[in-house]
Amino acid sequence: MPGKNPSPPIRVEISVADVHAHLLSVRMTIAKPKPKQVLSLPVWIPGSYMVREFAQHVQSVRAQQGRHAVAVEALNKHQWHVANGGDAPLTVAYEVYAYDPSVRMAYLDDERAFFNGTGLVMQALGIDTPIELSLPAPEHPATQDWQLVTGLAAKRTDARGFGRYQATDYDELADCPVTMGRMWKAEFTVRGVPHVWALTGAPANLDGARLLRDTQAIVEAEFNMWHGNGTPPWRRYVFMMHAADNAYGGLEHRNSTALVCARQDLPRQTRSGIQPGRSLKATDGYTQLLGLISHEYFHTWNVKRLRPAEFATYDYSRENHTELLWFFEGFTSYFDDLLLCRAGLIDEATYLQLLAKTWNQVRQTPGEALQSVAQSSFDAWTKYYRITENTPNTTVSYYTKGALVGLCLDAALREQGQNLEALMRALWARTDGGPMTMRDIQAALKTLGCPDVFKRLDDWVHCSDALPVEAALQSLGVACEHVDTPLAQQLGLRVREDATGLQVTHVLRGGAGEAAGLCPGDEWLSVQVGAQHARVKTLKDVNAYLPRNGKFTALVARDARVRSLKGQWPAAVQAMKLSVRDAERVARWLA
């Protein structure tokens, strides 16, 4: 019996409409539209858990069937009804303003273009067919040397990458961003899988060989962790990055990642001939960049495939809540720097500095005592991504505390002859690299012969108590030392220092700053000790004048008025410093 004829694909063309007006043109043709066709633009992008209202950038929506224009009616903030007649092909066209330099939306100027499908392409509700994407070469004179890179499968393209691409469905189109412009391109292969680097905004003295070599080391370390001698479930991978004056961030996709970085953090060719490797320091911008690359690549397994059951099918029209971001973001944050160490890119001391930084960030967040990481995960849509001056007092990051949960779980498993990598692989095997729940973690721990560990894990993620980090580190051979913190932490403040002076940005709950009456937004003008007044412009100035065991008066400007606030020098506030205590144990953990 012959099979059914497949439905014809939806055809979408995205072209550069006006470089200087930052407008991208979208033309969408639906071969067999529904009688009452509704088009919907996502309100969020997977991986960034906040409703971002992409429809705000859409303009001039119009439609036609054949030669006849048909009415388009806005139904709500992100959906449109097209009053088409019959089943003739329907064409919808509109423009999108593209000037968001982040990895979440779209950008266009005379040097580059970048976009995600979620911010540009409407979803034809009720129609589930392949989508053919046409990306013609721009005609503006400034774009003649542009190239194009995407993770989508090419159907017919020219030497620069412009042409036609194929997506199996809307989800794949939404999950494969496109970058174009003047770019540095390079490629390496690991276990038969080509990995493409596409970098725009690169400095002229970029050390591309080092970037390529270090990225390959990360990829090999992550392959080894997940698959041993096996191969990953994708045929090609793309790193697309834009280097700017001051930028940092990334967003994971199924076979690519979109990254932005500070131009000064990229490796440069120098006369000194300094070689890459274990010379990297925790404070180096390049170390942070490699950690970002490691983090986003790890997500290709952990959240893009192994993912919360709530993400089995994305609903692009609303929030998709889950309590498991501590696992998918937190555990990824635990492994990102750890795998830099295993790849030979940083040494043990540097890794311990990075880990101490994470631990101290959590220790210095009062919200840890109010919010569990499960709650933090669920509330990401309304709290984590909507930061205010009070955020540190009421929330805890599922990234940083989630990473510490991963550390504690790894230590607990190692005490029983297993480790966290084994758990990740067991979960991958149990779910076939697909959706999972907390019950799957419980079952995987049982498979590893560590069922009793689940009770501890469940308590760690659902309670707001401090984690047993010090005990975990000691079991791994790490020494924990208490050291004095910078003045900001001692006062319970976060500040901004610039040419205008010293401004308080956050006042942490229970700190000396709060007790003195300092408020977010205060400009700290001077310190009075006894009869002396001292002008302050930085915390270094404050530190020079505050008495260590006495009272002081701070003069601040608030609402164009000067206020006098009386304070008391705080009790000692300490941070943690980590070092190797048992070299053999640490080597077993980090090797």
Side-chain angles (χ1 to χ4, degrees):
M1 181 177 177
K4 295 176 62 178
N5 292 325
S7 300
I10 293 174
R11 289 184 169 83
V12 177
E13 179 179 286
I14 299 176
S15 58
V16 172
D18 191 323
V19 166
H20 298 305
H22 315 291
L23 290 177
L24 292 169
S25 175
V26 182
R27 186 177 179 87
M28 178 179 181
T29 301
I30 305 170
K32 290 188 176 181
K34 296 293 182 182
K36 295 181 179 180
Q37 186 62 63
V38 175
L39 304 176
S40 181
L41 190 70
V43 302
W44 70 289
I45 181 170
S48 184
Y49 308 107
M50 188 174 91
V51 171
R52 297 190 180 274
E53 313 292 19
F54 296 132
Q56 66 182 299
H57 302 296
V58 174
Q59 63 187 52
S60 304
V61 182
R62 53 205 182 274
Q64 65 181 56
Q65 282 185 300
R67 298 180 179 178
H68 303 287
V70 294
V72 179
E73 177 189 6
L75 297 177
N76 51 46
K77 64 181 181 181
H78 69 109
Q79 293 182 327
W80 294 261
H81 171 243
V82 183
N84 55 298
D87 58 359
L90 172 67
T91 298
V92 179
Y94 51 92
E95 284 75 50
V96 178
Y97 178 70
Y99 204 57
D100 182 334
S102 75
V103 295
R104 297 180 293 268
M105 178 46 191
Y107 185 90
L108 171 65
D109 65 11
D110 59 1
E111 292 190 345
R112 71 177 182 107
F114 169 84
F115 59 83
N116 293 282
T118 45
L120 262 70
V121 182
M122 296 180 185
Q123 188 175 16
L125 299 186
I127 301 178
D128 185 19
T129 66
I131 299 174
E132 184 179 289
L133 178 62
S134 177
L135 299 166
E139 297 178 356
H140 192 280
T143 68
Q144 296 308 300
D145 57 351
W146 281 19
Q147 299 182 72
L148 183 147
V149 174
T150 179
L152 286 170
K155 288 191 69 175
R156 186 174 183 179
T157 60
D158 62 20
R160 294 192 292 153
F162 294 96
R164 290 186 295 153
Y165 291 83
Q166 184 76 27
T168 56
D169 52 24
Y170 185 84
D171 284 335
E172 183 176 20
L173 179 72
D175 210 13
C176 290
V178 175
T179 187
M180 60 181 88
R182 302 180 193 92
M183 63 178 65
W184 173 82
K185 280 185 65 180
E187 184 175 322
F188 64 86
T189 300
V190 176
R191 300 188 193 174
V193 180
H195 288 69
V196 178
W197 253 108
L199 173 61
T200 55
N205 62 345
L206 171 74
D207 189 345
R210 179 177 183 179
L211 179 61
L212 210 63
R213 183 167 56 249
D214 292 349
T215 305
Q216 183 169 348
I218 292 169
V219 169
E220 289 174 343
E222 298 196 6
F223 274 19
N224 289 336
M225 192 204 111
W226 283 100
H227 300 294
N229 295 323
T231 56
W234 54 86
R235 298 179 180 178
R236 177 173 173 268
Y237 192 89
V238 179
F239 295 94
M240 53 186 75
M241 177 185 283
H242 179 65
D245 179 57
N246 184 23
Y248 178 82
L251 191 62
E252 69 276 1
H253 299 281
R254 62 178 63 189
N255 68 341
S256 65
T257 183
L259 307 161
V260 291
C261 76
R263 198 171 289 118
Q264 62 268 25
D265 290 343
L266 287 166
R268 309 290 186 96
Q269 297 174 350
T270 63
R271 293 181 181 179
S272 65
I274 295 174
Q275 296 299 312
R278 293 183 176 270
S279 61
L280 288 175
K281 299 179 181 179
T283 54
D284 289 343
Y286 185 51
T287 304
Q288 183 184 38
L289 176 57
L290 290 178
L292 175 66
I293 293 170
S294 177
H295 184 100
E296 300 305 334
Y297 193 72
F298 196 89
H299 271 319
T300 319
W301 289 272
N302 196 39
V303 91
K304 296 311 300 182
R305 288 168 175 81
L306 191 65
R307 60 193 187 276
E310 295 88 347
F311 293 175
T313 301
Y314 291 123
D315 184 344
Y316 297 103
S317 69
R318 61 174 181 82
E319 298 89 340
N320 290 214
H321 292 282
T322 177
E323 289 190 344
L324 288 174
L325 294 182
W326 58 267
F327 180 94
F328 294 99
E329 291 292 355
F331 282 21
T332 299
S333 297
Y334 173 62
F335 279 112
D336 54 21
D337 291 332
L338 179 61
L339 287 164
L340 292 186
C341 192
R342 291 181 181 172
L345 298 175
I346 59 175
D347 60 18
E348 293 173 350
T350 300
Y351 173 69
L352 291 179
Q353 287 179 44
L354 293 169
L355 183 58
K357 180 181 177 181
T358 298
W359 188 13
N360 287 322
Q361 285 176 341
V362 174
R363 284 167 49 89
Q364 293 158 11
T365 302
E368 182 194 14
L370 294 180
Q371 188 184 51
S372 70
V373 286
Q375 291 170 327
S376 175
S377 301
F378 191 87
D379 293 340
W381 299 86
T382 53
K383 292 188 177 181
Y384 183 80
Y385 279 92
R386 298 183 185 276
I387 297 173
T388 72
E389 71 283 349
N390 196 44
T391 293
N393 294 322
T394 59
T395 68
V396 68
S397 168
Y398 49 77
Y399 282 88
T400 52
K401 191 168 183 180
L404 298 181
V405 171
L407 169 70
C408 293
L409 181 57
D410 197 4
L413 289 171
R414 287 174 184 274
E415 289 176 351
Q416 300 190 24
Q418 292 289 353
N419 55 47
L420 189 55
E421 301 96 276
L423 175 61
M424 303 301 283
R425 290 191 293 268
L427 281 166
W428 182 269
R430 174 179 172 80
T431 64
D432 196 24
M436 56 163 273
T437 67
M438 196 71 172
R439 290 182 179 178
D440 290 307
I441 299 176
Q442 184 176 23
L445 287 169
K446 186 176 181 180
T447 299
L448 294 177
C450 307
D452 58 303
V453 175
F454 181 77
K455 176 62 170 63
R456 280 184 275 173
L457 174 64
D458 195 53
D459 288 342
W460 294 337
V461 301
H462 288 104
C463 297
S464 57
D465 298 332
L467 296 169
V469 177
E470 187 165 357
L473 287 168
Q474 289 175 346
S475 74
L476 295 169
V478 177
C480 304
E481 177 186 357
H482 292 264
V483 296
D484 290 338
T485 64
L487 181 60
Q489 280 76 48
Q490 293 188 47
L491 292 173
L493 299 175
R494 296 180 184 177
V495 302
R496 182 174 65 247
E497 299 173 342
D498 55 31
T500 63
L502 175 62
Q503 186 173 55
V504 176
T505 60
H506 299 79
V507 179
L508 303 184
R509 191 62 37 79
E514 183 184 59
L518 285 161
C519 295
D522 283 355
E523 181 185 359
W524 197 335
L525 302 174
S526 70
V527 171
Q528 179 182 355
V529 180
Q532 294 183 341
H533 288 265
R535 180 75 168 95
V536 296
K537 294 184 179 180
T538 67
L539 277 180
K540 185 177 180 180
D541 297 334
V542 174
N543 192 51
Y545 292 106
L546 282 184
R548 294 300 178 266
N549 294 297
K551 298 178 180 180
F552 66 91
T553 300
L555 268 64
V556 303
R558 183 189 307 162
D559 190 26
R561 296 180 178 180
V562 175
R563 295 170 179 255
S564 178
L565 306 176
K566 297 187 181 300
Q568 176 73 42
W569 184 259
V573 178
Q574 294 189 313
M576 304 303 297
K577 181 180 178 181
L578 306 181
S579 59
V580 175
R581 177 178 57 82
D582 186 325
E584 186 177 343
R585 285 189 181 186
V586 170
R588 284 200 300 268
W589 169 39
L590 300 181

